[in-house]
Amino acid sequence: MVLQPLIENSIQHGFCQKKGPCIILIQGQKGQEGSLSLTITDNGLGMEPKALANLQSTLMEEGNAAQNEHIGLDNVVQRLRLFYGEGFQFSIRSVQGHYMAVHFRIPYSPPGICPTPCSFPG
């Protein structure tokens, strides 16, 4: 429920006018204290710096879903917030005309879900 809208955004927005190979890279890594870090990067159109800054500030404001045109990204952030409270990190990097990378980190388990400490394999 988190990866699908991010990959759809890469295809729909990043590759809509791109010529040449379209690449999506999904990377995962076990982080500190058992957290999971995921990064989805595409070599699509990217975003201009001002639009990116505006998007990031809008996404991190709670309850803004109906007030922006980035419904997929907003849904992802709201799901992470609902499940992990403020225990998650979310960021976007982009260079217009070159790439966009969405990164998030989640704790090993959401608060109150695992009665004993959980960990990701490996």
Side-chain angles (χ1 to χ4, degrees):
M1 297 298 290
V2 174
L3 290 178
Q4 179 184 352
L6 298 176
I7 294 167
E8 283 178 0
N9 275 356
S10 289
I11 294 167
Q12 187 173 29
H13 301 293
F15 300 150
C16 64
Q17 298 175 359
K18 181 170 174 59
K19 293 179 173 44
C22 298
I23 300 167
I24 298 174
L25 177 63
I26 303 169
Q27 296 173 292
Q29 180 177 0
K30 182 178 176 184
Q32 300 170 350
E33 299 152 10
S35 65
L36 176 64
S37 292
L38 290 170
T39 304
I40 297 85
T41 307
D42 66 55
N43 68 335
L45 301 176
M47 292 183 80
E48 63 180 27
K50 186 176 180 179
L52 179 61
N54 185 39
L55 171 62
Q56 290 208 50
S57 66
T58 302
L59 285 175
M60 296 318 287
E61 293 175 15
E62 207 165 339
N64 251 355
Q67 299 170 9
N68 70 65
E69 68 267 8
H70 304 283
I71 294 170
L73 286 172
D74 193 72
N75 284 341
V76 167
V77 171
Q78 296 306 324
R79 278 186 194 114
L80 292 172
R81 182 174 284 121
L82 180 66
F83 204 58
Y84 297 102
E86 295 304 318
F88 74 97
Q89 295 175 352
F90 185 90
S91 64
I92 303 172
R93 294 183 322 272
S94 183
V95 173
Q96 189 174 14
H98 295 282
Y99 78 92
M100 185 161 206
V102 176
H103 173 81
F104 63 95
R105 183 176 5 184
I106 55 176
Y108 69 94
S109 74
I113 299 296
C114 277
T116 59
C118 301
S119 64
F120 295 110

